[in-house]
Amino acid sequence: MALMVTQILDATRIEEGRMVLELAPCNIDSLVRETIETYFAVLNKNNNRLILRIPLELPLVNADSSRLQRVFVNLISNALKHTQNGTILVKAEEENNTVKVTVKDTGSGISEEDMPHIWERYYKGKHSETGTGLGLFICKFIVESHGGKIWAESEVGKGTEFIFTLPVD
């Protein structure tokens, strides 16, 4: 419930142009681990396994850590919601002067019909019964506000991979 309220408030701030980023050097490994410690036990009701592959020598990114944590919460909670008895992989790597982050699941996947619309505000997909339809809209705004890019790859019945990049300082 708290996640839904936060999403509604974030979407309102975005719409009104009031979402301000407070940038500082940010360690992706620490941020992911804090997010997981805070949310994984609460969100994982489907007997999933979580794998982290984040190198310790990953460079820092100039980011708003609280906003970036929203991206991780949204992507990981979506993965957990659509995966049962599967695996959620969170990995990060340095690539072409960016930090590239992937959240990959072995869940139900996203249909070709839904894929072009997943970044739209309030779009929940034809097969989604829960949520506000704001999570991916917010993720896209936050990542792009940091100068990054975000995209998804999915296959129905095999899972989904959300990938985003953030520039290295």
Side-chain angles (χ1 to χ4, degrees), residues 59-106:
L60 299 177
V61 294
N62 198 31
D64 183 323
S65 60
S66 66
R67 302 291 184 211
L68 213 46
Q69 189 172 42
R70 285 277 140 248
V71 173
F72 286 114
V73 168
N74 282 321
L75 296 181
I76 292 169
S77 66
N78 279 355
L80 290 168
K81 187 177 4 175
H82 297 287
T83 306
Q84 292 192 12
N85 300 308
T87 304
I88 314 299
L89 167 68
V90 180
K91 71 176 184 175
E93 57 196 326
E94 186 176 3
E95 183 178 283
N96 299 327
N97 232 14
T98 68
V99 170
K100 179 181 173 185
V101 178
T102 303
V103 178
K104 181 178 184 177
D105 66 58
T106 57

Side-chain angles (χ1 to χ4, degrees), residues 13 24 31 44-45 55 78 104 106 130 138 148-149 161-162:
R13 285 184 194 102
L31 193 58
N44 188 22
K45 300 189 184 329
N78 279 355
K104 181 178 184 177
T106 57
T130 60
I138 292 166
K149 294 182 171 99
E161 200 170 346
F162 282 95

Side-chain angles (χ1 to χ4, degrees), residues 26-81:
C26 183
N27 181 310
I28 295 294
D29 180 54
S30 297
L31 193 58
V32 169
R33 290 180 192 282
E34 286 172 24
T35 304
I36 288 166
E37 285 174 17
T38 305
Y39 296 98
F40 189 74
V42 175
L43 296 172
N44 188 22
K45 300 189 184 329
N46 295 331
N47 198 31
N48 292 304
R49 194 169 61 109
L50 179 70
I51 300 170
L52 295 181
R53 290 200 184 121
I54 304 172
L56 295 175
E57 67 278 359
L58 202 62
L60 299 177
V61 294
N62 198 31
D64 183 323
S65 60
S66 66
R67 302 291 184 211
L68 213 46
Q69 189 172 42
R70 285 277 140 248
V71 173
F72 286 114
V73 168
N74 282 321
L75 296 181
I76 292 169
S77 66
N78 279 355
L80 290 168
K81 187 177 4 175

